Amino acid sequence: MNLQIYMFKKNFDVQKAERFFKERRIRYQLVDMKKQPPGLRELQAVKAGVGLRAMIDTQNKDYSGHYLSRLMGEGPILEALCANPQFLKTPIVRNGRAATVGYAPEVWEGWIQADQKG
């Protein structure tokens, strides 16, 4: 299993995700989006797994006033998210081509079980 957790520090769901994988002794790579924002290809892979709208943190206090909230079309939205990763829901957990957004232990359990079988 090749897990990457895209995150911002000081996020409760990120802390829960880290604890989930640590408790199961699953290795993962942390990617701080403040230092290393995801690229367009990474976001496209996440979008394929969860859908575009599920990736966007519409609860962010700055979202409604930001131009991102008025964009139409996948391309411009993904580019805006690359430039403004603070509007991505976190944690984003990638396992190869599969991805989740937010705290999703039931999906991660499925990944672990599939990895143990294969």
Side-chain angles (χ1 to χ4, degrees):
M1 198 172 333
N2 183 19
L3 291 177
Q4 293 177 310
I5 301 176
Y6 291 85
M7 52 68 130
F8 288 110
K9 294 196 185 302
K10 299 181 182 178
N11 179 304
F12 189 62
D13 283 343
V14 168
Q15 293 170 355
K16 290 192 313 188
E18 282 189 84
R19 188 172 349 143
F20 176 90
F21 292 112
K22 281 181 185 174
E23 287 173 353
R24 289 155 182 80
R25 293 187 173 92
I26 306 289
R27 292 178 57 153
Y28 57 89
Q29 175 188 5
L30 275 181
V31 180
D32 185 351
M33 290 194 292
K34 195 170 195 169
K35 295 178 184 175
Q36 185 181 358
L40 187 58
R41 293 179 95 176
E42 291 164 312
L43 291 183
Q44 287 171 333
V46 174
K47 178 190 69 85
V50 301
L52 182 61
R53 293 292 168 195
M55 297 168 51
I56 302 171
D57 182 7
T58 57
Q59 302 302 310
N60 183 308
K61 62 182 169 76
D62 298 326
Y63 177 75
S64 62
H66 196 271
Y67 74 93
L68 176 60
S69 66
R70 295 180 296 281
L71 285 177
M72 300 300 242
E74 287 184 2
I77 292 172
L78 285 173
E79 288 176 18
L81 288 171
C82 285
N84 303 279
Q86 71 271 22
F87 294 113
L88 288 166
K89 284 185 186 172
T90 57
I92 297 172
V93 181
R94 283 193 56 201
N95 178 21
R97 293 183 183 264
T100 61
V101 174
Y103 184 67
E106 61 285 341
V107 176
W108 304 332
E109 281 290 349
W111 292 349
I112 293 167
Q113 290 173 6
D115 189 58
Q116 290 171 347
K117 288 179 184 176

